[in-house]
Structures are given as structure tokens and as C-alpha cells.
């Protein structure tokens, strides 16, 4: 999906605005700017490094030639890019229209980059509520995803200027989905082989549902729910 300048979403908060310049679309305010720049992910998708990414390890679908994933909380698309680089065809959902516009712009610019274009060709963005989309998908005669990925926003522990800038500007936008149980139940209902959930390393389980197993990192962990092996 793409947004031309006549279709850009309105922002209720006058402290921030969407601005397009020679580098693409940006969210601007408080003397800062924020844009989707997938080129910054190139070092992480290099051969030899990609396979060590915890998300890629958590999402791995054994025995599937062309795995399918749904990223139900797409944000700026970095995690979806990792999945696409690992061979997944990824359907991205982003409920906030401003973030979706920034992501669509980032994907369009990435499509013009020879190193990224074959990867983003496997990524398809929908602006809208993923809970409703997943719930509707459960009753449709469509291929089931191998993985549904969830990354509900949680308070960042990192102290870097980039993280501070991101969250300082994003707090001007619509609040993220707070119905954690509804999001997880909808993800499970659409019939994936597994649901992968990004959490703080020492944070609680999403919706207090214990996963089948977890892959732990220093700052985050990935909880993996395999519906076929659990009573849900």
C-alpha cells in the first residue's frame, strides 16, 4: 500500500506533523524527526548474522519451503524485515494510520534499494486493526499462517537517544492496543503453527498465558505458543 500526500492521515495533536522531504516521509515535532529507514537493518540481514537473530530462531518453520507469517503489530517494520529476509512471506498490520503511512513510505524506498528490494517484495502492508482482521480470518477459507508475530509495545529500558526520540514522538499518536488477551486470542484463532511474542527479558507473559517455550536474550525474550500442544 502507498499514501500520496493527499491521503496522509490527520494528526489531532498540533505538536507533531507529517512532513515529506527528499529523504521521504517523517513525523516531525519538538525539534526532532522520526522516519522509517529499513536500510539501517542491512547489517542484521547479512548472511551468517541473520540466522543468529533470536526472532528468526523463534519463528523458524521446519519443513516449509515458503513459510507465511503475519506481523500483527508491524510498527516500523524492522522485525517483519528480518522474517522476510529469512524467507517468510509477511503480511503486516499496523493499526495506527500515521505509523502505517511512515512504514509504507519506508517500504517504498526500500523497494528501490537493490539490496532490499527482493526482501520487501515478500512484505505486504495493511493499515487497520489486526485483532479484527485475525478474527475475521479465522472464519475464512484461506491458507493458515505458519507464524503470527506479536510485539505489543512495552516501556523501553534502553537509554539511547534514538529510543528516547522514538517514544517521545510516538506518545503524541493514538495509544497502542491495550487488549492483550484479545490480540493473543485472535492470533491463536487464525490457526498458525505457532505464535511468537516479543517481551521484555524479565517481563510477564502476554495475557498471563504461559508459552510452550521461550528463547531468551539479554534485553528481550521471544515466547512461543504452539496451539496444537496446549490447552487454550
Amino acid at each position: 500500500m502507498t499514501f500520496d500526500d493527499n491521503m496522509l492521515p490527520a494528526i489531532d495533536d498540533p505538536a507533531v506533523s507529517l512532513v515529506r522531504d527528499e529523504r521521504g516521509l517523517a513525523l516531525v515535532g519538538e525539534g526532532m524527526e522520526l522516519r522509517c529507514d529499513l536500510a539501517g537493518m542491512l547489517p542484521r540481514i547479512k548472511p551468517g548474522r541473520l540466522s543468529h537473530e533470536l526472532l528468526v530462531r523463534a519463528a523458524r518453520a521446519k519443513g516449509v519451503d515458503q513459510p507465511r507469517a503475519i506481523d500483527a503489530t508491524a510498527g516500523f517494520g524492522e522485525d517483519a524485515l528480518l522474517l522476510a529476509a529469512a524467507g517468510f512471506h509477511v503480511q503486516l498490520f499496523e493499526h495506527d494510520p500515521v505509523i502505517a503511512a511512515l512504514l509504507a513510505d519506508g517500504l517504498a524506498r526500500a523497494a528501490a534499494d537493490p539490496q532490499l528490494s527482493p526482501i520487501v517484495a515478500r512484505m505486504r502492508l495493511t493499515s487497520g486493526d489486526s485483532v479484527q482482521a485475525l478474527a475475521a480470518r479465522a472464519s475464512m477459507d484461506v491458507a493458515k499462517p505458519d507464524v503470527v508475530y506479536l510485539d505489543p509495545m512495552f516501556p523501553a529500558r534502553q537509554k539511547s537517544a534514538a529510543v528516547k526520540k522514538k517514544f517521545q514522538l510516538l506518545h503524541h499518536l493514538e495509544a497502542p492496543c491495550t487488549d492483550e488477551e484479545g490480540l493473543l486470542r485472535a492470533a491463536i484463532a487464525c490457526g498458525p503453527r505457532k505464535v511468537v511474542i516479543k517481551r521484555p527479558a524479565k517481563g510477564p507473559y502476554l495475557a498471563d498465558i504461559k508459552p510452550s517455550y521461550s528463547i531468551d536474550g539479554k534485553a528481550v525474550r521471544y515466547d512461543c505458543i504452539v496451539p496444537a500442544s496446549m490447552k487454550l
Side-chain angles (χ1 to χ4, degrees):
M1 66 178 299
T2 58
F3 291 81
D4 63 36
D5 288 349
N6 294 323
M7 296 172 55
L8 291 178
I11 302 177
D12 293 334
D13 192 331
V16 292
S17 60
L18 285 172
V19 176
R20 188 181 298 279
D21 59 21
E22 68 279 0
R23 293 183 295 150
L25 191 65
L27 181 66
V28 177
E30 301 181 4
M32 299 178 290
E33 66 176 30
L34 183 63
R35 67 183 76 232
C36 175
D37 180 17
L38 295 175
M41 294 288 291
L42 283 170
R44 295 178 62 183
I45 61 176
K46 288 182 177 179
R49 181 168 177 181
L50 180 64
S51 61
H52 295 289
E53 289 283 345
L54 295 181
L55 172 57
V56 172
R57 289 169 53 194
R60 186 173 292 122
K62 296 180 180 179
V64 181
D65 292 332
Q66 296 186 353
R68 296 179 298 273
I70 293 175
D71 183 346
T73 50
F76 285 95
E78 294 99 333
D79 289 337
L81 186 77
L82 291 175
L83 293 175
F88 281 85
H89 291 264
V90 188
Q91 171 71 64
L92 298 83
F93 288 96
E94 174 49 51
H95 87 285
D96 187 281
V98 175
I99 297 176
L102 292 166
L103 176 54
D105 181 74
L107 288 170
R109 284 183 281 109
D113 184 324
Q115 297 181 82
L116 291 172
S117 59
I119 299 172
V120 298
R122 293 192 289 272
M123 300 168 66
R124 185 161 56 94
L125 171 63
T126 297
S127 177
D129 186 341
S130 62
V131 175
Q132 294 181 7
L134 291 170
R137 188 183 180 95
S139 61
M140 297 169 61
D141 184 18
V142 294
K144 298 184 184 302
D146 296 290
V147 173
V148 175
Y149 176 59
L150 308 177
D151 178 16
M153 291 181 67
F154 55 83
R157 291 183 177 272
Q158 300 96 325
K159 302 299 183 181
S160 71
V163 170
K164 288 182 180 180
K165 177 176 71 173
K166 178 177 180 179
F167 282 92
Q168 191 171 338
L169 286 177
L170 290 182
H171 87 272
H172 290 280
L173 304 180
E174 181 182 348
C177 173
T178 56
D179 183 8
E180 294 184 344
E181 183 171 356
L183 177 63
L184 181 53
R185 293 292 181 185
I188 293 170
C190 74
R193 291 188 175 197
K194 72 173 86 171
V195 178
V196 177
I197 308 160
K198 186 177 184 179
R199 302 300 289 161
K202 297 182 180 180
Y205 298 135
L206 186 68
D208 292 323
I209 295 178
K210 185 177 180 179
S212 306
Y213 62 93
S214 298
I215 295 181
D216 298 308
K218 292 182 179 179
V220 300
R221 73 169 191 271
Y222 292 91
D223 292 340
C224 301
I225 292 176
V226 181
S229 67
M230 300 175 66
K231 292 183 178 180
L232 297 167

